[in-house]
Each structure stands twice: as structure tokens, then as C-alpha cells.
Amino acid sequence: MIPLLIGKKRDGGELTRAEIEQIVLGYVRGEVPDYQVAAWLMACYLRGLTDAETLALTEVMAASGDQLDLSTIGAPTLDKHSTGGVGDKTSLVLVPLLAAGGVAIAKMSGRGLGFTGGTVDKLESIPGYRTELTAQEMLAQVQRIGCCLAGQSASLAPADKLLYALRDATATVESIPLIAASIMSKKLAGGAQHILLDVKVGAGAFMTTRERAEQLAGTLVRIGEGAGRRTHAMLTDMSQPLGYTVGNALEVREAIETLRPDLPSHPRFEALVCALAGHAFALCGLSPDAAEGQARAQRLLQSGDALNKFCQMVEAQGGDPRVVDDLNLLPRAPLVVEYPAPESGYVAEVAPRTVALAALQLGAGRQKKEDAIDPAVGVEALKCVGDPVQAGEPVFRIHARTESSLQQARTTLQSALRILETPVPPQGVLLA
Ligand code: URA
């Protein structure tokens, strides 16, 4: 029977929901072997999936394990997802900010792999912070304070985990319907009624071209709406690192700086957070439109309400909330060295993957799932595209554990920066 289904997809046919279930649930139960699922995935990769197949696959994966029931929460529920990038610490600010504005958000995040950092790794640099919460703990916390920020539960959408590992081993990851189904299966299982998607575009993103990012955004929204969830996707720039920090504790520091009304925040990062929050408030019916929602987000940052919610969340998850007043309680690297601009001019490029590679060499990320990370190390990128720069002025600040990793990162960063003599226009963070 399974070979017939593989053949149907290979020849460009459309599988029914029941046929997709046979393959996917059979695989989860261990009844359908890897090689048949691998062949089917390749047929999906080459032939594509119709919208009906993509929705069916997503819903089958979402129903393959536990699903959070948020129906008893007396506030609009929202989940957000970013397709990831370099320096993306958005959830650390956005989750408490939205909760401070009346949105209930039970956010589950992953660990970092390759060039993108994971929110869970970043959170774990807060002393004591617990990222492993049970579904009951998450629900109770969201009931009590409006938000949680925890690790992805293994019992949610187990089909996605299995299929992703197989896609990774069979060159079938880069298929828009398969990526969209994978992302949305976890969102549907997370139980929120509203879904906000931040689809990143550029050299530091999963989608490097605008065309592919638009296709992915469209597919994600059609799945969400098809599954009865109000869904909105934004396209945002990832052609340079987001904010000024790349590295776990450094990114938590930047998130706290953004939340603290008495400290300056990075304009591109704050603009992104407020734009996302504006759309979230509008989506949930808590603001008449995104522009009003954005103004509300700014007020919640300025009043300190978002910061207070962050403190409550850290405390609820066992972390030390004093980190918000004393950033020195976060892990700190022993070697902190500035990297000067080699010439004067205007910054034309801060290559995100090169900065991420330097951070990886310092120990901030992992190449394999089992690798340990060093929370203290990373890179500060002190200039954005369009900024004027003087020769000798610091453009990066490197936080290193050892002399040898410092030297390696310094060498890598030589090719991260491009400076031109003529002015370069800044690149806005919001694309659509
Ligand atoms: N992120 C996911 O969750 N799934 C994919 O397939 C790709 C990126």
C-alpha cells in the first residue's frame, strides 16, 4: 500500500488526508520504515504539495502527540514564531511585552544549531532559569502571570521531530510546504488561537531571497487560517545581525536593556519588537489596528510594565530577577577586546553569517546537537549598515574565553565588514 502512495506522489498526484495519515502516523508508530518515508519526502520535495495536502500534513503532524489546551485561559492566546537569524532575541522582549498588554502566551522555543542561536540557550544564561516545564506548569504559569518562555516539549508534534531528522539526512529540508508544515504543526499543537510569524529574509536567514520568503509566508498563513487560527506573517530584514549582540548572555543583556526604560536600546531591534507587538495586539483584537498596537507597545516599554512582566516570568521559572538591575550577574567572559575599523567611510555590510561564525568559534553556538555552549562569549556588532565610521573606531567587541578563540574570531571578523567611501543608505528592519 505505501509504495502505491509514494508512486502517486512521484507521478504528481494529490494524496488525501487519510493517505497522508497512513504514511506519517505509520512512521511515528514504527510501522512504516525510514526508506519508504524518505522516498515519499523526496517525491514531495520534487513535486511539491497542494494547499490541501500541506494543511492535511500539518494537522496530522500536530495531532501526532500531545496538544496544549489553552481554552480555559481567559485572555486572547497568541503564539509567535521567527524563522530565525543572527542575534534574534526578539522573543525575550516580545513575550513579556505582549503579556503586559493582556495577551496570553505560552511560548516554546528551541536550542540553537548552526548559525542561529536558540532562545532556550539564551534564557539558560540567566542564573537558575528553568526552561524545562511540563504542560501543566506552563498552563498554570500562563494562567497566573500571562506568559511562559520554555523549551519545546518532546511530546508535542513528535512526527515533526522524526520527519525533520529524516529530511536532514535526505536533502529534503529546503521544500517550502515541508518547512511550513513543520513550523505550523508545532504552532497548532501549542494551542494558541492567534499566530504571528516573523519570516526573516537575507544573508543571515533561512530564506535568503525575498521571493522564497514571500512564498513561505503565504504558505504559513494559508495553513494557519485553514486550521482556524487567525494568522499574520511579517517579512523582516536579516541582511545584518539583529540588534548589536550575538551570543547568549550578551543577547539577554540586550533584551533587558530594551525592556529597561532607563537604558538606550538598539533602534532597529526596538522597531522590530514594537512592529511585531503592534500586529499581535491588532490580531488579538486588543488594539484597533497595528499602528495603535505599536504605540501601545512603546508605552508598555516606557512605563516599565514589560520589564516587570519579564521579572515575574524569570522568577516564576526559578531565575534570579535581580539580573535586570545588575547586568553583571549574567555570565561574563574574561577577555573583552575591541576590534577597530581598518579605514574611514560608511558601513556597507555587516555580514551576519560571518559574525555568527565568529561567535561559534568563540563557543557561543553548537555545530552538533550534543555540543556544549559557553553562555558568556560572543560578539557585539557596534555599527549598522549606513553608519559612518572613522578608522580606528571600534566596530566589534569580542567576548572570549581563551586567547586562541579570540584570535580565531578576530581573523574571521576581518571579512565581516565592508566599508565604502561614499554614503550608504540604512536598511530598514521591516520589509512587509
Ligand atoms: N524550522 C522548522 O521548524 N522546520 C523546518 O523544516 C525548518 C525550519
Side-chain angles (χ1 to χ4, degrees):
M1 188 59 188
I2 298 290
L4 291 179
L5 303 184
I6 300 170
K8 186 172 171 188
K9 192 72 235 167
R10 178 202 59 204
D11 297 338
E14 184 181 44
L15 298 193
T16 64
R17 182 175 293 248
E19 289 169 335
I20 291 172
E21 248 172 31
Q22 269 186 55
I23 299 172
V24 173
L25 298 186
Y27 187 46
V28 173
R29 288 194 296 264
E31 293 161 12
V32 179
D34 276 354
Y35 53 84
Q36 288 183 324
V37 181
W40 171 70
L41 286 171
M42 185 55 83
C44 292
Y45 179 94
L46 294 172
R47 288 293 188 173
L49 296 176
T50 64
D51 277 353
E53 285 178 310
T54 310
L55 177 59
L57 173 61
T58 311
E59 290 184 326
V60 169
M61 289 202 290
S64 67
D66 294 342
Q67 307 194 52
L68 276 191
D69 177 7
L70 304 181
S71 61
T72 54
I73 290 177
T77 53
L78 178 131
D79 203 351
K80 81 61 88 160
H81 180 81
S82 157
T83 56
V86 178
D88 187 357
K89 72 280 294 172
T90 309
S91 291
L92 301 180
V93 180
L94 190 62
V95 167
L97 167 55
L98 292 178
V103 177
I105 175 160
K107 171 90 181 91
M108 283 177 267
S109 295
R111 291 190 183 278
L113 192 58
F115 70 92
T116 59
T119 301
V120 164
D121 297 315
K122 294 170 196 178
L123 285 165
E124 285 178 352
S125 62
I126 301 173
Y129 194 98
R130 222 160 50 85
T131 56
E132 276 186 28
L133 299 187
T134 64
Q136 287 79 357
E137 283 174 321
M138 279 195 258
L139 270 179
Q141 187 174 318
V142 175
Q143 292 273 21
R144 191 161 61 82
I145 65 165
C147 62
C148 71
L149 198 38
Q152 185 77 46
S153 151
S155 60
L156 230 68
D160 174 59
K161 204 167 180 192
L162 291 170
L163 288 177
Y164 190 86
L166 201 51
R167 285 166 58 209
D168 207 22
T170 55
T172 52
V173 167
E174 279 87 13
S175 148
I176 284 182
L178 294 181
I179 294 170
S182 163
I183 292 172
M184 293 301 284
S185 65
K186 289 168 282 196
K187 298 294 111 183
L188 297 188
Q193 279 308 310
H194 307 85
I195 300 172
L196 180 67
L197 302 154
D198 179 4
V199 179
K200 305 233 166 262
V201 192
F206 202 46
M207 296 287 137
T208 51
T209 67
R210 176 130 183 188
E211 194 192 354
R212 295 262 301 162
E214 276 171 359
Q215 280 175 16
L216 178 61
T219 310
L220 293 167
V221 171
R222 286 195 298 279
I223 296 172
E225 295 284 336
R229 314 291 172 94
R230 287 205 61 202
T231 308
H232 181 78
M234 293 177 70
L235 290 195
T236 71
D237 178 66
M238 191 26 87
S239 62
Q240 56 188 312
L242 183 60
Y244 78 98
T245 55
V246 180
N248 299 285
L250 292 173
E251 292 190 46
V252 170
R253 189 176 89 191
E254 184 174 11
I256 293 172
E257 286 165 354
T258 309
L259 285 160
R260 267 178 57 171
D262 60 322
L263 293 179
S265 50
H266 193 281
R268 289 181 95 246
F269 178 53
E270 188 177 321
L272 175 72
V273 168
C274 288
L276 285 166
H279 279 284
F281 287 137
L283 199 62
C284 291
L286 294 172
S287 292
D289 56 40
E292 274 287 323
Q294 189 163 334
R296 183 151 182 254
Q298 257 138 8
R299 289 196 297 274
L300 288 164
L301 285 175
Q302 274 150 22
S303 64
D305 290 351
L307 178 72
N308 288 341
K309 191 56 75 179
F310 178 83
C311 290
Q312 281 177 25
M313 180 178 79
V314 168
E315 203 161 18
Q317 293 187 225
D320 185 350
R322 291 175 308 159
V323 290
V324 305
D325 296 318
D326 185 359
L327 292 166
N328 291 330
L329 291 174
L330 290 168
R332 290 201 299 168
L335 303 170
V336 181
V337 174
E338 286 176 346
Y339 178 106
E343 60 202 311
S344 299
Y346 296 86
V347 176
E349 186 181 17
V350 186
R353 289 207 193 207
T354 314
V355 175
L357 175 62
L360 197 66
Q361 290 166 334
L362 290 164
R366 53 172 79 76
Q367 267 141 341
K368 296 190 302 305
K369 270 201 297 237
E370 313 69 53
D371 292 348
I373 58 153
D374 185 338
V377 299
V379 177
E380 291 178 58
L382 304 171
K383 297 284 175 190
C384 289
V385 170
D387 285 350
V389 62
Q390 294 296 320
E393 193 185 348
V395 280
F396 295 113
R397 196 172 288 124
I398 306 172
H399 296 246
R401 175 78 50 198
T402 62
E403 273 297 336
S404 66
S405 64
L406 173 65
Q407 288 313 334
Q408 222 185 351
R410 211 198 303 253
T411 307
T412 298
L413 288 173
Q414 279 169 9
S415 55
L417 196 72
R418 201 158 50 85
I419 296 174
L420 294 181
E421 278 176 18
T422 49
V424 176
Q427 167 71 60
V429 73
L430 306 174
L431 302 178

